[in-house]
């Protein structure tokens, strides 16, 4: 299912100059913020949890997920270069699976790693805060990548839709409306992190069994449906 050639092309597209600047800028901003908070407030477990939850998990991870997930396939569909891959003897679900692996890898590297480093800077991983939010970033990276890869497959406005979901639905409605919290990748990831961190530092409005089921279900269904949608992209010679 994993194709090295497709992976290499996808990595090259995602880590091009323009996207790479954004991918590096967000983690750098988190690390600068963590250093500034530590300098002015010292080591504090609750402040560390607030910074990692409020910026790293709620903002940085979904934004990087949007960039990596939609960028793994959306531009190729928009400019028509996807025809090159579809003309090769490759199974289309294999193309989707390979691009998903690349998107997950990129999202994890640019979100989970700086999240852990920021947690260490903030409080030296006291109460396992850094590890908890790193785990949350890792599991969220998988679900976000699958969701946004699907968006990149089905819509030319995937980036806009992804930003609306990540910044409006999860951040705004997810914090105000109880029902919206159940449909939030952020809350699912927090449920996993809650089991790792110290008592009361990380909380989620979704139970762990439900969160894990939704994380797995959404990832599998989004990947499967993206593969099915790619099957419907017909080449001119196939008509």
């Amino acid at each position: 299912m994993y194709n090295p050639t497709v992976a290499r092309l996808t990595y090259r597209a995602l880590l091009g100059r323009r996207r790479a600047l954004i991918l590096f800028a967000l983690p750098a901003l988190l690390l600068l913020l963590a250093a500034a908070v530590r300098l002015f407030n010292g080591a504090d477990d609750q402040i560390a949890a607030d910074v990692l939850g409020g910026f790293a998990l709620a903002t940085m991870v979904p934004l990087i997920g949007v960039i990596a997930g939609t960028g793994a396939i959306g531009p190729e569909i928009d400019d028509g270069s996807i025809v090159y891959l579809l003309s090769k003897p490759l199974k289309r679900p294999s193309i989707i699976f390979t691009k998903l692996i690349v998107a997950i890898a990129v999202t994890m590297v640019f979100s989970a790693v700086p999240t852990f480093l920021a947690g260490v800077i903030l409080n030296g991983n006291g109460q396992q805060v850094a590890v908890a939010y790193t785990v949350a970033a890792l599991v969220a990276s998988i679900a976000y990548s699958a969701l946004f890869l699907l968006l990149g497959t089905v819509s030319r406005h995937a980036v806009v839709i992804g930003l609306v979901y990540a910044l409006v639905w999860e951040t705004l409605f997810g914090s105000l409306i109880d029902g919206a919290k159940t449909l939030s990748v952020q809350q699912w990831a927090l449920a996993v992190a809650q089991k790792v961190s110290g008592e009361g530092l990380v909380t989620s409005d979704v139970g762990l069994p439900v969160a894990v089921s939704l994380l797995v279900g959404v990832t599998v269904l989004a990947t499967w449906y993206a593969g099915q949608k790619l099957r419907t992209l017909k080449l001119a010679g196939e008509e």
Side-chain angles (χ1 to χ4, degrees):
M1 290 292 289
Y2 181 84
N3 186 282
T5 301
V6 174
R8 185 174 64 254
L9 293 173
T10 306
Y11 275 119
R12 186 180 302 170
L14 285 179
L15 300 178
R17 182 178 303 175
R18 191 173 302 174
R19 286 192 180 88
L21 288 175
I22 302 175
L23 289 173
F24 279 104
L26 289 169
L29 181 59
L30 172 63
L31 294 176
L32 286 174
L33 177 62
V37 170
R38 177 64 184 265
L39 178 64
F40 290 107
N41 292 281
D44 185 286
D45 296 341
Q46 187 58 59
I47 291 177
D50 291 341
V51 171
L52 295 180
F55 182 81
L57 190 62
T59 303
M60 184 185 72
V61 179
L63 285 179
I64 292 176
V66 169
I67 296 169
T70 61
I73 195 169
E76 290 179 282
I77 294 178
D78 290 343
D79 63 20
S81 60
I82 191 68
V83 171
Y84 170 79
L85 287 179
L86 298 183
S87 65
K88 301 298 180 181
L90 297 171
K91 293 182 179 180
R92 297 184 184 186
S94 175
I95 296 174
I96 290 295
F97 180 78
T98 301
K99 289 181 174 293
L100 174 63
I101 295 300
V102 173
I104 290 173
V106 170
T107 306
M108 284 182 171
V109 168
F110 285 94
S111 61
V113 173
T115 295
F116 177 76
L117 294 176
V120 172
I121 292 171
L122 285 163
N123 75 333
N125 193 36
Q127 299 290 314
Q128 294 292 305
V129 170
V131 172
Y133 277 101
T134 299
V135 171
L138 288 171
V139 297
S141 295
I142 298 172
Y144 280 132
S145 296
L147 279 173
F148 298 138
L149 179 65
L150 172 60
L151 283 177
T153 306
V154 302
S155 174
R156 291 180 177 273
H157 307 289
V159 174
V160 175
I161 298 172
L163 290 175
V164 169
Y165 172 79
L167 300 181
V168 178
W169 177 265
E170 291 204 336
T171 303
L172 180 59
F173 290 101
S175 63
L176 300 175
I177 304 173
D178 290 337
K181 296 176 181 179
T182 307
L183 301 176
S184 168
V185 174
Q186 179 185 338
Q187 290 297 323
W188 306 342
L190 284 173
V192 178
Q194 187 175 1
K195 292 297 181 181
V196 180
S197 69
E199 186 67 28
L201 288 174
V202 182
T203 59
S204 173
D205 293 286
V206 181
L208 182 61
V210 174
V212 172
S213 299
L214 289 172
L215 283 167
V216 174
V218 164
T219 301
V220 172
L221 287 175
T223 304
W224 172 80
Y225 191 60
Q228 296 304 306
K229 292 299 292 184
L230 195 61
R231 289 177 184 272
T232 66
L233 289 177
K234 299 293 184 179
L235 300 178
E238 295 177 345
E239 299 294 341

